[in-house]
Amino acid sequence: MKKVVHLVFSLNNGGLENMVVDICNEQSKSAEVTLIVIHSTIDTAVSDLLDSKVKFICLQQKPPTRLPFFVISLWAILWKIKPDILHLHNRMSMKLFPRFLPKSNTKILLTIHNTGGKLGNEIRNVDITYAISNAVKSDIEKRYNINTCINYNGVRVKDIVSKTEWCLRSCEPLKIIQISRLMHKIKGQHVLLKATQLLVQKGVPVIVSFIGNGESLDYLKELAKELNIENSVQFHGSLPKEDVYKTLNHYDVLIQPSLYEGFGLTIAEAMAAKVPVIVPNIEAPLEILKNDKNGYVFRVGDSQHLFEKVLCCIEDYRSGKIESIVHNAYTHVNAMFNIKETSKRYLEA
């Protein structure tokens, strides 16, 4: 049985951290898996999802990380485990391993989750570099000329409750959901708010639910007031992944208005929930969607075009066309972005 160690700096309630937990749980079905977290920042909503078969170690470091004080204890843990695979999920973690265990068979993997990040010379110490999308792969290879494998992020399709009815009742508002960290300069939540203003002005009843925390919360709340749509906007904060999986099907459409995106896990999750999705025409979301048979695409940063696509979605609800769109999307995501396949490909490294 293979021994696998995953290393992350923190375990917040973010897309990367939830993905790592899902991979650990899936791999623990056929391997001995250990998850090591360097910092003391642990969200129990995430750590509680770990399967009992996954060994969990927290080094309790307080950020910012100061090398090399905790490295000796980290190396000691790894010497004891003697993993076949050491899987890194943060670029900074490469600095911790200037080819440690030089005589061992440990294979070091690095998964890069976003475009634009800086990679140092330490990347040469990694055996296999993975990208979570063609967008990330192209970015790495263009800037660093490093051979990179693609392994798409996966979702727990079978655990996501799917929508079973697709009708809009005239007495109820259109229920829009947006899930991500509140970082409008990257995730583009302001674009959605401006499109919401256009919907309200047209007389379309709508409720937009933002799921997530972040530094843009106050800005977005103030913007909603300036646009006079505060009664149509709700900020729910961060929710446990299990709650998201159980309630996604309550919404009519997921809109991911990102300006930049390495992958877009919530898009795949909504597709698994058979909820229609509207995404920007940037590489990673388009890669998930594959074609407009699986959802709707608007020009990145263009609130007017997003507004028009929402109206198209409403019309497809009324005509019944929406059912074929969401069923096509479900089939696609189950085949391409299932956590079982993602985890298996890492184990086969």
Side-chain angles (χ1 to χ4, degrees):
M1 182 177 286
K2 280 189 176 180
K3 295 181 180 179
V4 182
V5 171
H6 291 270
L7 180 69
V8 294
F9 275 90
S10 62
L11 206 62
N12 297 312
N13 193 4
L16 185 155
E17 294 85 355
N18 278 285
M19 170 58 56
V20 171
V21 167
D22 285 346
I23 292 172
C24 286
N25 289 343
E26 189 64 34
Q27 289 182 343
S28 70
K29 296 175 183 178
S30 59
E32 293 181 19
V33 179
T34 302
L35 173 60
I36 300 177
V37 179
I38 294 174
H39 292 158
S40 56
T41 47
I42 305 291
D43 189 325
T44 56
V46 180
S47 60
D48 287 349
L49 296 177
L50 278 170
D51 191 282
S52 59
K53 295 192 293 292
V54 178
K55 185 176 181 182
F56 180 59
I57 299 173
C58 181
L59 299 181
Q60 297 291 334
Q61 294 296 304
K62 293 183 179 180
T65 304
R66 287 183 169 82
L67 300 176
F69 301 109
F70 72 94
V71 176
I72 294 176
S73 60
L74 172 60
W75 285 7
I77 292 170
L78 293 170
W79 274 101
K80 184 176 180 180
I81 296 173
K82 294 181 173 59
D84 299 292
I85 295 174
L86 172 61
H87 195 156
L88 312 179
H89 295 271
N90 308 87
R91 291 183 293 269
M92 281 295 295
S93 58
M94 292 187 295
K95 296 181 180 295
L96 307 177
F97 303 101
R99 261 304 166 202
F100 94 111
L101 297 177
K103 296 181 180 179
S104 79
N105 293 320
T106 297
K107 187 172 288 185
I108 301 179
L109 314 184
L110 171 68
T111 296
I112 300 179
H113 295 261
N114 293 293
T115 58
K118 294 182 179 180
L119 303 176
N121 291 330
E122 295 85 2
I123 189 65
R124 308 299 173 184
N125 297 329
V126 173
D127 293 300
I128 303 178
T129 303
Y130 286 96
I132 62 171
S133 66
N134 268 313
V136 176
K137 174 182 170 69
S138 298
D139 176 68
I140 298 167
E141 293 184 344
K142 180 179 180 180
R143 292 189 297 123
Y144 292 98
N145 194 29
I146 296 170
N147 290 330
T148 308
C149 303
I150 290 180
N151 194 5
Y152 290 116
N153 279 347
V155 299
R156 290 182 282 125
V157 175
K158 66 179 180 63
D159 294 331
I160 299 175
V161 180
S162 292
K163 200 173 184 69
T164 57
E165 293 184 0
W166 296 269
C167 60
L168 297 179
R169 296 175 175 84
S170 57
C171 60
E172 296 181 1
L174 180 74
K175 296 184 288 296
I176 297 173
I177 185 170
Q178 195 277 323
I179 309 172
S180 69
R181 286 191 174 98
L182 300 181
M183 304 166 62
H184 72 282
K185 293 181 180 180
I186 296 175
K187 298 298 183 180
Q189 287 94 351
H190 61 297
V191 178
L192 175 52
L193 287 179
K194 292 175 183 178
T196 302
Q197 181 191 41
L198 296 175
L199 289 167
V200 171
Q201 289 174 346
K202 189 174 177 62
V204 178
V206 59
I207 292 292
V208 181
S209 296
F210 289 97
I211 309 298
N213 292 316
E215 60 265 31
S216 294
L217 176 60
D218 291 341
Y219 166 80
L220 293 170
K221 285 183 175 180
E222 186 60 32
L223 180 59
K225 290 181 181 179
E226 291 177 9
L227 297 174
N228 198 28
I229 57 169
E230 63 267 34
N231 292 332
S232 297
V233 176
Q234 299 175 346
F235 294 93
H236 296 281
S238 182
L239 294 180
K241 180 66 71 175
E242 300 305 298
D243 289 353
V244 173
Y245 280 11
K246 291 175 183 177
T247 58
L248 255 176
N249 65 325
H250 297 169
Y251 293 89
D252 300 311
V253 59
L254 176 133
I255 297 178
Q256 202 64 27
S258 302
L259 305 178
Y260 309 95
E261 194 68 72
F263 183 70
L265 193 64
T266 55
I267 299 169
E269 290 168 341
M271 292 164 70
K274 297 184 180 179
V275 172
V277 298
I278 305 178
V279 306
N281 61 341
I282 54 178
E283 191 171 359
L286 290 179
E287 199 172 337
I288 298 173
L289 213 60
K290 189 176 182 180
N291 57 57
D292 57 7
K293 292 182 180 179
N294 297 324
Y296 306 84
V297 179
F298 72 99
R299 290 186 295 272
V300 60
D302 190 334
S303 298
Q304 174 67 35
H305 199 217
L306 173 55
F307 158 70
E308 293 169 6
K309 290 299 179 178
V310 175
L311 296 183
C312 288
C313 181
I314 292 172
E315 180 57 35
D316 286 344
Y317 263 101
R318 291 171 177 166
S319 69
K321 182 181 176 182
I322 200 72
E323 291 194 40
S324 64
I325 292 174
V326 296
H327 285 300
N328 286 337
Y330 178 86
T331 300
H332 174 61
V333 79
N334 190 40
M336 293 297 297
F337 307 112
N338 197 307
I339 190 63
K340 291 183 178 180
E341 293 304 315
T342 299
S343 302
K344 180 181 177 182
R345 284 191 287 268
Y346 283 133
L347 277 180
E348 293 172 347

